[in-house]
Amino acid sequence: ELRQLGNATIAGNVVLYNFPFTGYGETARMRSQGAREAEKYGAQAVLVRTLAPDTSFHSVHTGSSARATIPAAAISLSDANLIERMYERAKVGASLDHVFPRVKLVMNAQLRENAKQSANVIIDLKGSELPNEIVLLSGHFDSWDVGVGAMDDGAGAFLAWEAARMIARTGYAPRRTIRVVMWNNEETQQRGARAYFEKHKAEIKDHKFAVESDIGVFEPWGLAVAADKNVVQRMRAFGKHLLHSLGGGNITSTDVESPGEDIALLCKSGVPCAGFLSVNPENNAVPGDPHWEDHYFRYHHANSDRMEVIDKHQLRRSAASLAAWAYIIADL
């Protein structure tokens, strides 16, 4: 569409990307690449409709975007629709009251790269027979400056912690070590994941499985597994026969490079990987349903991502499910 409009229409103006939410992976391209593409045609700035599934929300979600020479800002869904209505009316020229919208953009955004130093949090539950072999459970504990990051991804980080704690409280350590990693800096440059990979490079071969939770923690559904088809088949059998009472025993195979941002380097190195998945608490939609992600992305990267959006009972049930998976894999 930008190419069709060309420099004659775009140059000197502000580009508004107003698009329906059709899934995060598809629509996030507008935010991540929008400014860089618009500047090619002489745009002065870019406004991006916030990535959320509801047209009624008057909230703004943040997120990363490729650096450009022009400013870019997210605006609420309702504001994006209002600007588009004003623009379309002005194009028709129905009356003198219909004028093309003008925008005054005032921004306080700053890039403070390397302004602070932090670390991953790593906890090991040592294996009883093969302590050098590792089953990794993880989530990230950094967040954007809006909200507090309770859902993205405090819940995922403490899901891993609680799963390991449940196993530890039984007094029966599995054969392999269960390692919990709370990643740092997932949201921007994944420096925590890259530092872990570099520091533990010599023992990557000893990582037997890696799990990340970073898509919300609600009622447990199962795992999206990126591994050899024989591994996937075995896990389906385990889930069916051993987790039917707990929930979370479903297994889906994924052909994406990694089911988690922070475990991507491990996955690329041949470590079997999985993402922990939940059921949408609003409509009971499960992975594969077009509205499965909706609940999570109402709060994702927004001021509303606070402790109130976490249900402690759902978190506990999901931790029990993840603990079961971790024990099964670590004890094989």
Side-chain angles (χ1 to χ4, degrees), residues 108-123:
N108 297 313
Q110 300 178 41
L111 176 65
R112 297 181 178 179
E113 191 172 7
N114 303 322
K116 292 185 180 294
Q117 182 173 338
S118 189
N120 297 324
V121 176
I122 302 176
I123 309 106

Side-chain angles (χ1 to χ4, degrees), residues 41-54:
Y41 302 94
Q44 292 292 299
V46 160
L47 299 177
V48 183
R49 167 172 157 163
T50 199
L51 273 65
D54 290 293

Side-chain angles (χ1 to χ4, degrees), residues 103-175:
V103 175
K104 180 179 180 180
L105 184 59
V106 179
M107 297 182 65
N108 297 313
Q110 300 178 41
L111 176 65
R112 297 181 178 179
E113 191 172 7
N114 303 322
K116 292 185 180 294
Q117 182 173 338
S118 189
N120 297 324
V121 176
I122 302 176
I123 309 106
D124 278 359
L125 176 60
K126 288 295 184 181
S128 58
E129 297 179 22
L130 301 167
N132 292 329
E133 296 187 1
I134 296 163
V135 173
L136 186 146
L137 311 178
S138 68
H140 69 87
F141 72 97
D142 64 306
S143 71
W144 287 98
D145 52 347
V146 293
V148 299
M151 186 178 289
D152 181 24
D153 181 37
F158 280 92
L159 172 70
W161 162 278
E162 181 64 10
R165 193 178 75 93
M166 285 179 171
I167 294 172
R169 291 182 66 184
T170 68
Y172 297 98
R175 296 173 66 222

